[in-house]
Amino acid sequence: MIIVLKPNATPPEVDHVIDRIKELGLKAHVSQGEHRTIIGVIGDETKLSKEPLLAIAGVEQVLPIMKPFKLASREFNKKDSVVVVGGRVKVGGGHLGMIAGPCAIEGREILNEIAGEVKKAGANLLRGGAFKPRTSPYTFQGMGEEGLKILREVGDAHDMPVVTEVMDPRQVPLVEKWADMLQIGARNMQNFDLLKEVGQTRKAILLKRGMSATVKDLLMSAEYILSEGNQSVVLCERGVRSFEDSTRNMLDMSAVPNVKGMSHLPIIVDPSHATGRRDLIPPMALASVAAGADGVHIEVHSCPEKALSDGPQALLPPNYGKLMEQIRKVAEVMGKTF
Amino acid sequence: MIIVLKPNATPPEVDHVIDRIKELGLKAHVSQGEHRTIIGVIGDETKLSKEPLLAIAGVEQVLPIMKPFKLASREFNKKDSVVVVGGRVKVGGGHLGMIAGPCAIEGREILNEIAGEVKKAGANLLRGGAFKPRTSPYTFQGMGEEGLKILREVGDAHDMPVVTEVMDPRQVPLVEKWADMLQIGARNMQNFDLLKEVGQTRKAILLKRGMSATVKDLLMSAEYILSEGNQSVVLCERGVRSFEDSTRNMLDMSAVPNVKGMSHLPIIVDPSHATGRRDLIPPMALASVAAGADGVHIEVHSCPEKALSDGPQALLPPNYGKLMEQIRKVAEVMGKTF
Amino acid sequence: MIIVLKPNATPPEVDHVIDRIKELGLKAHVSQGEHRTIIGVIGDETKLSKEPLLAIAGVEQVLPIMKPFKLASREFNKKDSVVVVGGRVKVGGGHLGMIAGPCAIEGREILNEIAGEVKKAGANLLRGGAFKPRTSPYTFQGMGEEGLKILREVGDAHDMPVVTEVMDPRQVPLVEKWADMLQIGARNMQNFDLLKEVGQTRKAILLKRGMSATVKDLLMSAEYILSEGNQSVVLCERGVRSFEDSTRNMLDMSAVPNVKGMSHLPIIVDPSHATGRRDLIPPMALASVAAGADGVHIEVHSCPEKALSDGPQALLPPNYGKLMEQIRKVAEVMGKTF
Amino acid sequence: MIIVLKPNATPPEVDHVIDRIKELGLKAHVSQGEHRTIIGVIGDETKLSKEPLLAIAGVEQVLPIMKPFKLASREFNKKDSVVVVGGRVKVGGGHLGMIAGPCAIEGREILNEIAGEVKKAGANLLRGGAFKPRTSPYTFQGMGEEGLKILREVGDAHDMPVVTEVMDPRQVPLVEKWADMLQIGARNMQNFDLLKEVGQTRKAILLKRGMSATVKDLLMSAEYILSEGNQSVVLCERGVRSFEDSTRNMLDMSAVPNVKGMSHLPIIVDPSHATGRRDLIPPMALASVAAGADGVHIEVHSCPEKALSDGPQALLPPNYGKLMEQIRKVAEVMGKTF
């Protein structure tokens, strides 16, 4: 950590900062520049939290040098992690997790139809929401436990491990019972009690990036899960809020290689939620694989106009099939398989 | 709701949209323009959710006319709501809620000292965090129930109702027992299960705007609480994420009159979290009152450099006192009291 | 255009709006809904500018239905435009414009060396800045005319048409004399006098998206050039400002298919400026081609650490060569050539 | 400047960085930490530009310590600057510049009427646009020189110095001839040739913040003007682009005290362009003065619905008058006059 003092910091102020550093068992390394005094702190940086230092008179800037996450960091694990979902589907390290399915579980028959189609096209993980985070209290909130059972049955019938969202720490035992991969939605990326709760399960976790979370924030949230002992975390870029008004969110494609530089965790992309537009899903899915993503999460619905949630961002099964053929070719160029 | 069709929409596509509208017991009003066909939907707009329509072939845009929130809307209640905290302190309708205290409760003695100082300066509500949402799992997470008891005692000793954050639906009964006003933090603004849970209490709720929430999103989250039967909601602008890197967040001051145009609910401003900089708190607090806010939420700590959380954004008690004198003058110009 | 009146609009207010519409030779189509009166305007929408209507008492919203650009629109030209640079290199319609070169022209020898390398790797257009827009008045501002001459000579020597930025309407005749393609930088995307000036040349224009421009804003700026009679416009996505602090800008990859849906103009991507990080250029370049871009603009420098401008976002020639091999494979999957 | 090396930087890489520093006549101060080597650079930091260092192998971060602007900085001038417009109206140092007038000059009669009204209400500077930066090439582009003459005459008739926008370096001599204060619009904040050109006049400059400019970017642009010898620069906060869709831009109110901490230059606020909504202008104008702004820029039009530009964000003269009475009271609390 580096502490930059104000140009007019007094010697007692400088001494006071040095004393605080020494109190913590750290060493202070003082550089007297032309315009500023700079203090380098040597030792375990975590002993100093950034903020109280800034509150000391005479301090202008505090620049942390170390990244605030550890278990999620590339330094901690130089090799790409591979997360295994449902004991058989690998995500990461050259294996693409191709997640597909409707936004919400609406019934056994329709889910079964969609699952059959996406499986045939090459999807290896089935998604469907039983608990839906909706901005309005007046819209469909999901089928709950009944939906989870349907998802399990349909997944088993098609030999696909299943992914579903969990929104409330109290639901974790229930969702854990029925699903292979627990999704933490964007709105809950910093719901820290929920992160701790899923960190105590041994299920794979799909952690979506919050709508205004930096890449570092996302990795800090992954750290919450990892630090509880659950190492099976897959990150998901799903777009962030921006001023652009012709797409629902802005897909931050560079987050894919950016995360891979900082962390060993797999990262997939969800072009459905990122763009909110069916026409943009295929090009963004192809781009994701070319950018190095470890998978793609796509909403597929056989009758989007009757979907109870998010119809306009779902592909029809035949379009999904066509897209998967192209994805296969790009994946081959990138040396990846699914 | 208005449905705009694509320039090349076919007559069967147009008819299909009209059929969907009629199925729902609504009337369709078709305008044939030069370049586009436009369909106005007449009747209860909530029967149509925006999205599935967009998924119909031939539909280009779906423009909702009604606001998606009801109980929070200005139409629902033309008069400004007044929220009463702890049976005695009014917020809204000309009454300013002056919330002050440390970020986190760190001990009885220090909280008591700060409470005495802020009360003397004119604060009417005491804040302090017992459960802290921290981006890092490795930093101080709050004193928990022990902190809540201290907050209660110190609040009672100074005759100040107390405000504290609740982060987990499972904590609601506990926090409800000790506090007069329950704060929902920015990171939990769309934690819908938590919103429903606090909506079932009869405590005042301080709902903070999410870091990338629009003003409408904020009002939709308030609607979740109101629709559970709890009418005592105070909103709080606390800054949103932006590209500006010299402040922690960007305080959206216009949210104050913007909310007041759309809703009857009181709204206060938190310049501490919005700016993250002690030097910017006083001018932003004064501006908030001039902009029409119903109160100001300020962190005050007698030793910011030893604060266990967020020291740099806390004022020292004497600076808070000086600021409150100025606020009183601006409040007088605005015809408000505290 | 659709005009939505306020719930409490009076009959005289409604009549006043209708009168304004009729004055302009347009027809008003009134729908009386349950909560709102809505007026559809039929006829040439450009006669009504959006804003004055909003200023009329009783008007709540004005919703334009038509896009505000014409010549740039997909409706105007259903086929993809192909822009020919320097009489020989095609961009668009299956042809990739592979622009490469140093940020700034620094001298004949070094430019010649870089040009040789990028040409060998497959680049078909040579870039280099002679006039540099720098945020600080104290940094290198470019070699000016001398630089333009060098660029021309080196381009000719390697049979590559040349691209360079023009910043000031007074420089247009000079830059036009030496270059094949004139670049309008992000900071000048809404420098309307400059747009008009380059619109009067018959050189190809590379129009970069402004740092906070929406896709529509970008197309409106293209419209300025097209409406002056210059049809050779290539758009360029180069990242927008965001809260993410680990990349210089946020590359909005979805702008590529988004633009292609709305416009017939070619669009390329500049991952160098978008990310500001050398390690992110290769994955973002591959993703751009997979997303359907008509080319990629990459900074290449043989000694980035001595570059007078933007060294950290330049690739070394060998890395560029390696990247181009991979791009070729992805281009093949997409059915494109260069 | 501080240079942080990567954890795995080799000794030759470290030596190479040190050599580069010494070559420039600067001193390197090396701190060997537990995880990282850090090099402090002592001497004139401007000799090292940030970017090439980052391009050196082994370098992880380059942290500039000094602000990149000099003449604009608070260090350069500890006292608040006072800019005098038209030889008589002071802005800064306790004097509020109250700029009012229509968006565009539309004719002598209407301008004269508006000028009379705003003067009576207390405005001390008259604004009106003769050259209009419009996003569409098909909308009203301003009256040009004819408009400038009208503005001059009307300003003189009411004894108000006049403010108008200049968009093109070629227009500077013309605009300089007729106006007292030259406005640089948000879209031209980084039109560096234009900045240099107005920097060579001796007129007061009103420099508006770009829609995605940081406060530092704004001060860097001011530096361009100051470094040409023109010291009369007034900054203007006018909102930035954000995800909030109910206001045109987001007014960054904290920019006012933020700029005042970093710079001696006066800063005013333009709530008309910042919000784009007439109902939000009065509360934002009051808040601006309470936040410490040196003036307010408000559009006033006597018939907004017939305004040729930006009608919805203009106040009617009587509303302006009423607002000015309230502003006077808040100004008094703040110890300022106009």
Side-chain angles (χ1 to χ4, degrees), chain A residues 111-123 158 300 302 317-318 320-321:
Chain A
L111 185 64
N112 194 51
E113 181 192 329
I114 297 169
E117 299 270 14
V118 300
K119 171 79 179 183
K120 197 177 65 188
H158 295 275
V300 178
S302 41
Y320 181 71

Side-chain angles (χ1 to χ4, degrees), chain C residues 16-29:
Chain C
H16 179 61
V17 175
I18 295 171
D19 288 349
R20 283 295 308 277
I21 293 167
K22 291 188 179 160
E23 273 170 41
L24 292 161
L26 302 168
K27 271 187 251 170
H29 191 279

Side-chain angles (χ1 to χ4, degrees), chain D residues 43-185:
Chain D
D44 178 6
E45 193 168 290
T46 61
K47 288 185 186 164
L48 278 174
S49 76
K50 181 181 171 185
E51 314 212 8
L53 290 172
L54 249 187
I56 301 179
V59 173
E60 183 173 275
Q61 292 180 65
V62 177
L63 307 163
I65 299 305
M66 300 294 294
K67 295 190 182 70
F69 47 86
K70 294 171 185 59
L71 305 173
S73 74
R74 183 55 87 179
E75 283 82 3
F76 183 79
N77 190 353
K78 299 239 182 309
K79 262 183 60 185
D80 287 349
S81 283
V82 178
V83 170
V84 182
V85 186
R88 56 203 191 277
V89 175
K90 291 180 183 169
V91 182
H95 306 275
L96 299 181
M98 302 307 284
I99 305 178
C103 180
I105 300 160
E106 299 167 15
R108 185 174 289 103
E109 206 174 343
I110 186 152
L111 185 64
N112 194 52
E113 181 191 329
I114 297 168
E117 299 270 15
V118 299
K119 170 79 179 184
K120 198 176 65 188
N124 48 24
L125 293 163
L126 180 66
R127 67 147 285 131
F131 299 102
K132 300 300 307 166
R134 303 301 301 266
T135 43
S136 166
Y138 308 121
T139 49
F140 179 62
Q141 308 266 326
M143 289 182 75
E145 184 167 10
E146 181 59 21
L148 292 176
K149 288 181 192 167
I150 292 173
L151 180 64
R152 178 79 270 160
E153 279 177 40
V154 173
D156 287 349
H158 294 276
D159 188 28
M160 298 175 87
V162 297
V163 188
T164 200
E165 179 162 356
V166 59
M167 290 167 61
D168 184 329
R170 296 169 300 187
Q171 295 163 349
V172 172
L174 180 67
V175 178
E176 190 186 359
K177 187 176 154 195
W178 298 104
D180 300 296
M181 186 175 215
L182 278 50
Q183 176 183 313
I184 303 294

